[in-house]
Amino acid sequence: MSVRPVRVVEDVPHHHCAFYFSPGSRWLNDPRDHGEVRFLDASWELEAKVRDRPMLSFAFPETAYAVLLSWTAEWVFEGYYVNIQSPLRDRGDALVYTDWFLDVRIPPARDSYEWKDEHELAEAVARGFLTEAESEDVRWAGERAIEHVLLHEPPFDEDWPSWRPDPTWGPLDVPPDALGPNTSHPTPREGEAYDARRPFREGGSIMDNSGGFTTPPPPPPPPGGEGGAGGSGLPPRGIGEILTTAFDIYKANAANLLLIVAIVVVPLTFISAFLSGVVFAPETTTEVVFGQEIEVTSQSAGAALLVGVIAAVIGVIISAVLQAAIMRGAAQGSIGDEVDIDASYKWGFARFGSVLLISILVGLAVMVGLLLFIIPGIFLAVMFSVAIPALVVENLRGTDAMGRSWNLVKGNFWHALGLIIVAFILAAVVGGIIGAIGGAISDNWFVTWIFSSIAQIIVAPFTALVSVLLYLDLRARTEALTSDGLRAQLNRAV
């Protein structure tokens, strides 16, 4: 157990809170011998200590880890330290948490990491403080924290190692009432555990351990487990309800959703249409065949290949960036939040590589399946249909997102297939009608581009909303997912 006085440096609602533990501050700690395994086997009392170096810690709502940044007394940055723990709880007079044994060290360059105290986690399992399944959840939380720091995800996309405190912030002291009833503890009874190493204090509210000598609460499962951050649970929906909800969200956020699509579609499709329709346009000549004049259109193989490559590259860029940005906006709209265009595109460009990787992996899997008598390809397309939403909401990457999609769709295959078919038909009809209008007006490349762009801009938000709502519906059928919990996940994935 420890009691530490800190200052709040930054408090971003639904995302993170940063605390500063200043040098010279007096704090309280148990007198354990920090040897091979740190479990209490005798009575003990808190001892007063003085902090000798600065430390900045970041805690996140409904997140099973905190990230600590430390410096030497001369402000030379030492690196990052991940403390795997229960999410902070407000006890009224304190913010508290329970430590879950395992930690991670990450050097300043963020090019590697080192697990710490794995032996303590094993000992905790051996003593019955955690089950094997719970210890796996602890390690999962550590892996997620490593990804959070190494990938420079917010707030670690900012230069926090160069941060310095306000020069007027002096050392803090633990107030006299900090001791209270937790000052001394008897020897733990067999089968009971206590280990909470790094509590904090905000203002006059002491952040210490409140767990006593009881088995620590089990770690929350990875995203996809039970529970939420509050609010009423999201209800399962039928196909008709999902489509109706998609239309309602579309109408409420039409301007922003359409603009998100137009920002990417208009310029990139114009480049593609201009190159194919003007720069590398096929040549048309008139020839006489059997006494009749006919027009013959020809294009060199090299030009055709170049146009095809350019169109493919532009298509990949549109697909990857647009999927990430529009699905991010759709996810915000699905929980009643305002669709933020700037935030959606900032997130979309930051996750371009991840979306592209998932798209390639899913595309290859589906293509192989289609070659195997078509039906396997359709099956795989449905099973991986919510991989991108899993990336957007839960920040899962690559095969993890695909695995998450597989597990969600499993058991609800026909429901997912039915929704996908209906949504595809609706989108194809709308896109086809708009394209046909353009074709009836003129076969000029510019007119064709205008109407094909309009079709994409109108249809893309609807298909993205259906994908996100299908993902949420599949989670609602198996998990106690709430709007607040979803909002917290979206904020953590920023």
Side-chain angles (χ1 to χ4, degrees):
M1 175 181 180
S2 61
V3 181
R4 303 186 181 194
V6 299
R7 284 185 171 88
V8 176
V9 174
E10 186 173 69
D11 186 359
V12 180
H14 306 299
H15 194 269
H16 72 269
C17 195
F19 304 95
Y20 175 52
F21 188 19
S22 56
S25 295
R26 178 175 172 268
W27 61 294
L28 305 176
N29 194 29
D30 67 73
R32 289 175 295 176
D33 176 19
H34 292 275
E36 195 62 24
V37 178
R38 294 174 288 177
F39 289 91
L40 294 168
D41 294 316
S43 298
W44 56 276
E45 293 185 358
L46 291 176
E47 294 181 348
K49 296 187 177 184
V50 177
R51 178 69 182 176
D52 62 349
R53 60 185 62 197
M55 182 176 73
L56 194 62
S57 64
F58 290 83
F60 309 90
E62 300 300 319
T63 300
Y65 60 81
V67 179
L68 288 60
L69 284 70
S70 63
W71 293 261
T72 66
E74 294 75 29
W75 282 96
V76 176
F77 185 54
E78 295 180 309
Y80 305 82
Y81 189 94
V82 174
N83 196 65
I84 304 170
Q85 61 188 50
S86 65
L88 294 180
R89 292 182 294 113
D90 187 354
R91 199 181 63 181
D93 63 337
L95 294 176
V96 300
Y97 70 83
T98 300
D99 185 275
W100 283 328
F101 311 103
L102 191 62
D103 304 298
V104 184
R105 286 195 183 101
I106 299 175
R110 289 194 266 187
D111 54 0
S112 62
Y113 61 89
E114 175 189 4
W115 291 102
K116 182 178 178 292
D117 299 335
E118 291 180 286
H119 60 289
E120 287 194 11
L121 181 62
E123 180 72 11
V125 173
R127 294 190 182 205
F129 301 153
L130 295 175
T131 65
E132 286 287 354
E134 290 165 353
S135 72
E136 292 176 3
D137 291 342
V138 168
R139 183 170 289 275
W140 182 92
E143 292 171 349
R144 175 66 191 93
I146 292 168
E147 183 182 56
H148 194 163
V149 177
L150 295 190
L151 294 180
H152 296 242
E153 296 176 3
F156 306 116
D157 56 342
E158 301 179 31
D159 188 18
W160 285 105
S162 298
W163 175 87
R164 295 296 181 268
D166 187 315
T168 63
W169 291 355
L172 298 174
D173 197 0
V174 178
D177 60 356
L179 301 180
N182 288 330
T183 305
S184 177
H185 293 283
T187 304
R189 297 186 297 276
E190 183 173 351
E192 296 182 325
Y194 176 79
D195 184 23
R197 294 195 289 255
R198 296 176 178 82
F200 297 99
R201 178 174 80 81
E202 175 184 350
S205 299
I206 304 156
M207 298 182 70
D208 59 3
N209 179 275
S210 63
F213 290 105
T214 59
T215 303
E226 295 179 358
S232 58
L234 297 178
R237 296 184 175 101
I239 292 176
E241 291 174 305
I242 292 176
L243 294 174
T244 300
T245 303
F247 283 121
D248 291 341
I249 296 173
Y250 195 149
K251 287 187 293 184
N253 300 275
N256 285 349
L257 290 172
L258 292 172
L259 186 55
I260 287 175
V261 180
I263 288 173
V264 168
V265 167
V266 170
L268 291 182
T269 56
F270 177 81
I271 293 172
S272 178
F274 181 76
L275 290 175
S276 61
V278 178
V279 179
F280 299 106
E283 295 181 359
T284 301
T285 59
T286 301
E287 296 184 6
V288 178
V289 179
F290 299 113
Q292 293 184 349
E293 292 184 353
I294 62 171
E295 290 185 348
V296 178
T297 301
S298 63
Q299 186 178 40
S300 68
L305 178 61
L306 181 59
V307 170
V309 170
I310 293 173
V313 171
I314 290 177
V316 168
I317 294 173
I318 290 176
S319 176
V321 176
L322 191 56
Q323 278 194 85
I326 192 63
M327 285 202 182
R328 178 78 181 177
Q332 290 177 315
S334 69
I335 54 175
D337 288 356
E338 182 181 356
V339 176
D340 189 323
I341 298 173
D342 291 339
S344 293
Y345 265 105
K346 180 180 178 182
W347 194 95
F349 281 112
R351 298 299 188 281
F352 174 80
S354 298
V355 174
L356 182 60
L357 175 61
I358 293 175
S359 299
I360 291 173
L361 292 175
V362 172
L364 290 174
V366 172
M367 183 175 65
V368 171
L370 291 174
L371 294 175
L372 299 174
F373 307 107
I374 300 178
I375 292 179
I378 297 174
F379 173 78
L380 292 174
V382 175
M383 296 304 293
F384 296 136
S385 59
V386 293
I388 299 296
L391 163 66
V392 171
V393 177
E394 300 178 68
N395 210 20
L396 299 174
R397 311 296 178 90
T399 55
D400 288 338
M402 294 170 66
R404 176 68 164 145
S405 177
W406 185 284
N407 290 330
L408 286 173
V409 176
K410 182 175 59 178
N412 296 283
F413 176 83
W414 296 109
H415 171 70
L417 176 62
L419 177 62
I420 291 171
I421 291 174
V422 174
F424 173 80
I425 292 173
L426 291 174
V429 169
V430 173
I433 291 173
I434 296 173
I437 293 173
I441 293 174
S442 173
D443 60 356
N444 178 270
W445 72 269
F446 187 75
V447 174
T448 302
W449 163 72
I450 289 176
F451 280 87
S452 65
S453 297
I454 292 173
Q456 287 189 59
I457 292 169
I458 291 176
V459 168
F462 173 72
T463 57
L465 284 167
V466 170
S467 295
V468 169
L469 290 172
L470 172 60
Y471 161 80
L472 298 179
D473 178 66
L474 293 173
R475 289 188 63 180
R477 291 170 182 267
T478 56
E479 306 166 5
L481 180 65
T482 67
S483 294
D484 290 344
L486 177 60
R487 184 176 292 108
Q489 286 190 334
L490 279 170
N491 287 329
R492 286 200 300 271
V494 170

